[in-house]
Amino acid sequence: MLSLGIDSGSTTTKGILLDDQGIREKLIIKTSSSPRKSLYEVYDTFWSDAVGCTVATGYGRSLLKKANRKITEITCHARGSRYFEPNCTGVIDIGGQDCKAIALDEKGNVTDFLMNDKCAAGTGRFMDVMMGILEADLEDLDDFVINAKAISISSMCTVFAESEIISLLANDIPKGNIALGVIHTIAERTATFYGRLNLCGPVFFSGGLSKSKIFCRVLEEYLGQSIKTDVLGQYTGAVGAALIGYESVE
Amino acid sequence: MEIRKELPEIFKSFSEARQAGFISAKNFKDAGNPLIGIFCTYFPQELALAMGAVTVGLCASSDETITESEKDLPRNLCPLIKSSYGFGKTDKCPYFYFSDLVVGETTCDGKKKMYEYMAEFKPVHVMKLPHSQDQVAKELWKQEIIKMKEVLEEQFAVSITEEKLHKAILLKNEERKAMKEFYGLCRQDPSPMTGMELFNVLVGASFDFDREALPSKIRDLTQKVQEEYQIIQNNEIKPRILITGCPMGAATAKVIKAIEDNGAVVVCFENCTGVKAVEELVDEHNLDLFGALAEKYLNIGCSCMSPNTKRFELLNRLIDEYKVDGVVEMTLTACHTYNVESLSVKRFVQQEKGRPYTYLETDFGTSDVERINTRMTAFIEML
């Protein structure tokens, strides 16, 4: 049996198709102004008679009427993280519009969680907007900050940070130094946020920013421990959804 | 729970009490009775009852007048204070308009400073509430209650005799006992009512100005709910949630809705909208009436107390009695005392009681309804 998990995030919509052999197919698309359309685009790509269960997660999850189950991104990220890192007891997810910290017990059940969902501070969107001002692509983040020296950015409000960066540019501060400064700001905030859960075990880091080696290194610095990531880290929510669906049918 | 047919009708009179109360407040005033507006559960309502007056809660819970209040008050202040002040200033709340005297207490910093401005357009008396609950504090509070009595006597040219006060103590205790029986129904599993129904009664009852008849009215409701519960035999087991934190009103009922729309049921409100100020009775046998009032009222476990041990004693008992599966703490933005205390509550609930806990900071707006939904659903999935 195939199981389909779809994660309708604010920036991207992710789909994962898996069976007892593991992940079979994956797809990531930009979430359009109609999240329903993006959801169905992923759904239509993967759906066949062989799919025994579809689980939707993410902020747009309720839009997929054809889903067998709708489960929050907290539960799905917890399950997905255990797939990538079976021993983790903590999860950090930096998404497009929020940041999550999740505590797990030894069986992988969620025991506590925090969500920073009130403003863009500490989210992928914050990094994205700042890179936009620096006229650079988020995908090239690691190359962009090679040999850079971090400059301190004190504003956490996206709008204020933007004007702070504009004045730094006006003072001829190299763009790479500014970008590295932004990385430090987000990483420090994320580590403090995660610290509120008071955990000590292995931590899995998911979301788009987990693809950046430099971001992971800086985050490890602030956390004071190493973090686990996966090349498919951005799909953690969708993987979790697909696994929960698979397990509920099997 | 849609099987219940008659209950919504029974609840209706309570949930509509706040609106219907506008008219009854006017009638009550037209008959020559004073109306005293209060902001907090620390005011001994027996004083008002003893002089034939009635109290009405003025804590607002709508964002309608927040912009107006921000002309005078800082933006970064708790919405309850801003909204209450705004309704007073714009005269948009009939209860505020009808209040002959507004009584405030030095509970939190925001409120006590706000009253200074409110006194510019309304008669305001502020009771100086101590922030601890020891014997010295109780003596201070007793003196404040006596001072309050004198202010009322002078302002309204009445005499609050010991006899009248004792009668009022008995009456208010009856109301508390009736209310305890009512919300105590939710100790049963499954609960005989939804948290929203419970909430509407808790709020609605305070807007019923016939205080003599109120206890029997509540008991009548209790009996009907219980009778119906036994006939219908609802076996739907849902996770049982206790709500703690800041006071709740119409705008923050969004939290109750988010919990109950997503598969759980609220069985207890520990906050001052719920059981916090009702649980303990005034000692009817204490001959020192003002001492008895001071004892009861100062024992209310609000986060403005330091240390606030009473809150934890109450939580400890309620979590067991109501067989609570999870605790949701709702605080208002910029309510420093509750927001700071939330860490102690989290530690207590998770470590001492071994139950899941989650924390939610919100205001009177609707922009976070979806976010609250996701958090509450995730919390319920966790139970």
Side-chain angles (χ1 to χ4, degrees):
Chain A
M1 184 204 75
L2 287 165
S3 176
L4 174 58
I6 305 180
D7 180 0
S8 171
S10 64
T11 315
T12 52
T13 302
K14 283 86 55 178
I16 285 285
L17 197 61
L18 56 74
D19 62 11
D20 56 352
Q21 303 297 306
I23 295 172
R24 298 281 292 267
E25 302 276 353
K26 64 182 192 327
L27 177 66
I28 184 165
I29 57 168
K30 257 185 96 64
T31 300
S32 70
S33 57
S34 162
R36 186 196 308 271
K37 238 166 120 180
S38 308
L39 260 166
Y40 276 94
E41 193 182 326
V42 174
Y43 179 82
D44 292 340
T45 307
F46 287 136
W47 199 86
S48 68
D49 288 340
V51 174
C53 190
T54 304
V55 175
T57 185
Y59 92 113
R61 65 187 177 281
S62 56
L63 296 171
L64 189 68
K65 298 286 175 241
K66 290 182 177 168
N68 299 88
R69 290 177 73 184
K70 288 140 194 163
I71 298 170
T72 64
E73 46 271 43
I74 296 289
T75 307
C76 290
H77 270 87
R79 184 65 193 88
S81 299
R82 275 293 173 117
Y83 175 83
F84 291 123
E85 182 50 45
N87 296 320
C88 69
T89 52
V91 181
I92 296 173
D93 175 70
I94 299 185
Q97 69 174 11
D98 67 22
C99 170
K100 303 180 254 299
I102 309 170
L104 306 175
D105 65 14
E106 63 281 3
K107 287 183 190 150
N109 301 311
V110 179
T111 57
D112 201 358
F113 66 89
L114 296 171
M115 279 176 98
N116 160 38
D117 51 15
K118 257 184 247 156
C119 73
T123 66
R125 173 74 74 207
F126 186 82
M127 195 73 232
D128 199 16
V129 170
M130 299 313 137
M131 289 297 276
I133 302 163
L134 300 175
E135 293 174 322
D137 196 332
L138 190 54
E139 297 292 322
D140 307 328
L141 186 60
D142 282 357
D143 293 335
F144 197 71
V145 297
I146 281 177
N147 299 326
K149 281 189 71 182
I151 188 122
S152 149
I153 312 275
S154 53
S155 306
M156 272 317 297
C157 167
T158 313
V159 179
F160 288 141
E162 189 171 343
S163 57
E164 191 175 342
I165 286 172
I166 290 167
S167 36
L168 289 170
L169 289 172
N171 283 313
D172 266 340
I173 306 288
K175 288 180 183 180
N177 295 6
I178 300 174
L180 191 57
V182 174
I183 289 175
H184 273 267
T185 312
I186 300 177
E188 184 177 16
R189 194 181 165 99
T190 305
T192 310
F193 181 66
Y194 183 72
R196 291 182 77 96
L197 287 180
N198 247 329
L199 304 173
C200 50
V203 52
F204 182 76
F205 174 44
S206 67
L209 277 176
S210 68
K211 288 187 293 184
S212 160
K213 285 193 176 64
I214 183 81
F215 187 88
C216 292
R217 210 194 65 214
V218 176
L219 181 60
E220 284 177 332
E221 236 173 75
Y222 285 105
L223 284 169
Q225 70 174 107
S226 64
I227 51 176
K228 311 280 182 187
T229 54
D230 192 278
V231 282
L232 296 181
Q234 227 178 335
Y235 293 88
T236 307
V239 169
L243 284 170
I244 293 170
Y246 187 84
E247 286 152 7
S248 71
V249 174
E250 283 298 301
Chain B
M1 290 231 210
E2 67 278 10
I3 29 175
R4 283 204 316 250
K5 297 245 162 14
E6 286 167 44
L7 269 187
E9 280 303 309
I10 305 167
F11 281 110
K12 217 172 155 190
S13 73
F14 276 95
S15 39
E16 286 172 357
R18 190 166 184 265
Q19 269 179 315
F22 293 160
I23 298 146
S24 61
K26 188 177 181 301
N27 294 339
F28 184 80
K29 290 272 300 185
D30 288 346
N33 304 303
L35 192 67
I36 297 169
I38 57 172
F39 279 101
C40 188
T41 52
Y42 282 107
F43 172 75
Q45 297 187 24
E46 288 83 351
L47 291 177
L49 285 174
M51 57 175 272
V54 152
T55 51
V56 63
L58 296 180
C59 283
S61 69
S62 140
D63 61 356
E64 196 185 324
T65 63
I66 285 184
T67 317
E68 182 61 30
S69 77
E70 285 173 356
K71 287 181 183 168
D72 296 345
L73 300 172
R75 240 175 68 78
N76 185 21
L77 186 67
C78 125
L80 191 152
I81 302 176
K82 285 195 287 191
S83 167
S84 303
Y85 178 82
F87 271 103
K89 206 179 173 206
T90 54
D91 245 343
K92 275 189 180 163
C93 168
Y95 293 118
F96 190 89
Y97 174 82
F98 284 129
S99 294
D100 299 286
L101 176 70
V102 169
V103 178
E105 297 82 10
T106 52
T107 45
C108 65
D109 290 349
K111 265 189 177 171
K112 74 184 180 201
K113 299 306 285 181
M114 177 272 279
Y115 294 134
E116 294 176 16
Y117 295 123
M118 188 174 270
E120 293 170 6
F121 52 85
K122 193 79 181 175
V124 175
H125 174 81
V126 178
M127 299 178 79
K128 290 172 190 68
L129 181 77
H131 290 165
S132 62
Q133 293 158 319
D134 55 19
Q135 273 316 309
V136 179
K138 276 184 185 145
E139 189 50 42
L140 276 169
W141 190 232
K142 181 181 157 186
Q143 294 310 320
E144 276 299 304
I145 296 173
I146 293 171
K147 203 193 284 172
M148 182 77 243
K149 174 198 102 121
E150 290 165 357
V151 167
L152 291 171
E153 286 181 324
E154 198 192 311
Q155 205 121 342
F156 297 99
V158 292
S159 160
I160 299 175
T161 63
E162 294 241 321
E163 194 195 338
K164 284 180 186 166
L165 189 55
H166 192 249
K167 232 184 105 192
I169 289 175
L170 296 179
L171 178 62
K172 189 68 197 171
N173 270 356
E174 266 322 293
E175 184 189 314
R176 289 189 186 105
K177 283 184 228 165
M179 200 44 107
K180 285 169 72 157
E181 289 159 20
F182 176 71
Y183 62 62
L185 290 174
C186 297
R187 290 195 183 99
Q188 302 170 98
D189 191 9
S191 179
M193 64 188 115
T194 66
M196 196 61 97
E197 288 166 334
L198 169 62
F199 171 77
N200 284 334
V201 174
L202 291 167
V203 174
S206 66
F207 290 95
D208 190 322
F209 299 127
D210 189 352
R211 296 286 152 89
E212 298 264 353
L214 189 56
S216 67
K217 219 168 148 181
I218 298 169
R219 289 203 165 105
D220 194 35
L221 177 66
T222 308
Q223 199 191 336
K224 282 183 184 149
V225 172
Q226 188 58 19
E227 276 168 10
E228 192 129 349
Y229 178 62
Q230 274 154 355
I231 297 167
I232 285 164
Q233 300 259 323
N234 164 31
N235 291 319
E236 203 180 355
I237 299 291
K238 292 177 170 185
R240 299 162 63 83
I241 305 294
L242 174 142
I243 293 185
T244 184
C246 288
M248 289 181 109
T252 42
K254 63 187 172 186
V255 177
I256 308 169
K257 192 170 170 347
I259 293 170
E260 300 200 323
D261 281 354
N262 292 298
V265 59
V266 178
V267 293
C268 185
F269 295 90
E270 184 273 336
N271 55 27
C272 61
T273 314
V275 314
K276 196 191 285 281
V278 183
E279 276 295 292
E280 192 175 323
L281 303 180
V282 178
D283 181 1
E284 296 169 1
H285 306 292
N286 189 343
L287 296 177
D288 173 13
L289 301 187
F290 292 99
L293 287 173
E295 174 80 26
K296 183 256 158 355
Y297 280 96
L298 200 64
N299 275 344
I300 295 172
C302 173
S303 62
C304 66
M305 294 293 163
S306 178
N308 186 18
T309 47
K310 294 286 175 191
R311 183 178 181 198
F312 295 92
E313 287 168 23
L314 184 59
L315 274 173
N316 186 31
R317 191 159 58 76
L318 295 175
I319 289 171
D320 294 340
E321 281 181 11
Y322 287 80
K323 302 180 216 52
V324 168
D325 298 309
V327 172
V328 173
E329 172 146 31
M330 185 219 79
T331 63
L332 295 172
T333 319
C335 173
H336 298 330
T337 53
Y338 272 107
N339 282 327
V340 173
E341 198 166 276
S342 64
L343 177 62
S344 305
V345 177
K346 176 181 176 156
R347 284 176 181 157
F348 176 76
V349 172
Q350 289 183 338
Q351 290 161 23
E352 310 260 321
K353 302 305 287 179
R355 309 289 158 92
Y357 163 96
T358 195
Y359 162 84
L360 196 67
E361 193 182 327
T362 187
D363 58 20
F364 294 169
T366 50
S367 65
D368 60 358
V369 166
E370 272 315 308
R371 292 195 291 258
I372 293 176
N373 261 323
T374 295
R375 283 179 190 223
M376 290 303 108
T377 310
F379 185 63
I380 294 161
E381 284 171 356
M382 188 178 124
L383 299 174

